[in-house]
Amino acid sequence: MAEKRGSSITKIAFLCLFITTTTMFVLSSRGRPGLFDHKTMPAEKLLTVFNNGDSQTSNQSNAESSNGSNRAILANSEKQRVEEGGFQVSCNGNLKEPLKIFLYDLDPEFHFGLLDWKPQGNSVWPDIRTKIPSYPGGLNSQHSIEYWLTLDLLASEFSENPSSREAIRVKNSSEADLIFVPFFSSLSYNRYSKLSPHQKKSKNWELQEKLVKFVMGQKEWKISGGRNHVVLAHHPNSMLNARMQLWPAIFILSDFGRYPINVANLDKDVIAPYKHVIKSYVNDSSDFDSRKTLLYFQGAIYRKNGGFVRQELYYLLKDEKDVHFSFGSVQRNGIRQASQGMHSSKFCLNIAGDTPSSNRLFDAIASHCVPVIISDEIELPYEDILDYTEFCIFIRTSDAVKKGFLINRIRSITKDKWTRMWEKLKQVEPLFEFQYPSKEGDAVQMIWQSLSHKVSSVKMKINKSKRYSRFVPRKRRGLRTRTK
């Protein structure tokens, strides 16, 4: 018995010695490259949460409880990355691979030519290192996402650290996750949708026809059935003709208000924010008491379709002393007046108009004026990441038109609750900013992220479509019975 006990003790001692030696060897190897491939070693995934431009690291299990989170990405605990093979490789072995985009080299008449840019030499793209064609301001700019995304793709070729980007341009379509169609469709609609004298078709209509012919004739479209193509149609009236033919593609839209569900839906498409047109509230030092107007709305009051609620609310609210509800437009300093009004208001109404969405929501976010959304069919950007109820008030249309309901609901919101929502607005505001060059966490990068979420579904659909593509069915024959 004593010999067995001694044998057990000896085994335990050797086991402890082995574990200690192995641990010391692993620890000592960290500074010696080549001994271990750290990518194969398991590591706890951490989340970096961006709060008002500052990053904080927390455990993945705590991410949902973080009140200040507006965007999360996988990162290592030491926030250090090294480059390997063109991608970000975190020290804990996690890969952050940028979205690979193949950009069709369309004729400039589809993109920067619409901005009166003239190509020099054989290039269809401007040299953005020397001069960037400017985009028109005013209401034109609210649907300018095609401009910002195209610029970002072109800039990725000159980036010193492409692995730090959300998306990069690749020259070989077989390497791409998605195929980008660079048609400035919103600008085309705004500038060229009206018929000129003696024209049977507008220039906007002709460009759409030419686009459809080009895109559907490409091998990339034929291989994928168009499922991996990205088409921008942010203005609700843009691509009215082409959308019915390019419907398998991923559309980037402002809403689904003028689309049948089989053409556009959340399963395949992406909702992107408008570019706000009013002035951002920089260094906002206001508070609940200094914003004297309780509820603010300025815009077109009489609208068709779903916009009937605007005139209903006008008659319900026009006599409330601390409510500003009036007609307004971009003319006669309308944008400047709207900026001043939103900056001095606690709550800003975002009411459905001709379509479920409007730029007014993003103007309110830029003003840190708590949005009150009355639009039952609205879809919102990045809602898989953002909880809009933390900084927006949602009211059903059927409730809003009840006498006293809306104003009583707004008056019931306490100073403390409003302050929390106001603070959250300042945190999420950068997510809706379009700029060049783009910055991490801005609207351009967030749209690329939203597109990246579609890639696995797109690849699955393409792969499934190939199951019988090489099978040519034989001519049908009647059943044959076996004869003896």
Side-chain angles (χ1 to χ4, degrees), residues 342-356:
M342 287 186 165
H343 290 183
S344 59
S345 301
K346 297 178 178 68
F347 298 92
C348 288
L349 278 169
N350 181 72
I351 316 168
D354 293 343
T355 57

Side-chain angles (χ1 to χ4, degrees), residues 284-395:
D284 181 3
S285 59
S286 66
D287 59 19
F288 185 85
D289 297 319
S290 67
R291 291 180 174 242
K292 300 300 182 183
T293 302
L294 176 68
L295 188 60
Y296 183 89
F297 177 88
Q298 185 164 305
I301 295 175
Y302 300 99
R303 309 300 290 179
K304 54 189 176 182
N305 301 329
F308 77 94
V309 68
R310 291 190 183 184
Q311 60 196 65
E312 294 288 332
L313 291 176
Y314 170 72
Y315 292 111
L316 288 173
L317 298 172
K318 65 184 181 67
D319 296 326
E320 297 289 339
K321 62 179 182 179
D322 51 358
V323 172
H324 176 95
F325 200 120
S326 69
F327 175 82
S329 70
V330 296
Q331 300 175 347
R332 298 178 183 177
N333 293 321
I335 293 178
R336 182 179 60 83
Q337 292 173 3
S339 296
Q340 294 174 347
M342 287 186 165
H343 290 183
S344 59
S345 301
K346 297 178 178 68
F347 298 92
C348 288
L349 278 169
N350 181 72
I351 316 168
D354 293 343
T355 57
S357 67
S358 77
N359 191 50
R360 197 166 283 101
L361 169 61
F362 306 99
D363 286 342
I365 292 173
S367 304
H368 313 150
C369 179
V370 175
V372 179
I373 298 175
I374 304 172
S375 180
D376 298 345
E377 303 300 323
I378 195 170
E379 296 293 348
L380 299 166
Y382 337 133
E383 202 165 9
D384 55 340
I385 296 174
L386 286 182
D387 180 359
Y388 279 80
T389 63
E390 294 181 349
F391 54 91
C392 295
I393 304 295
F394 291 86
I395 298 178

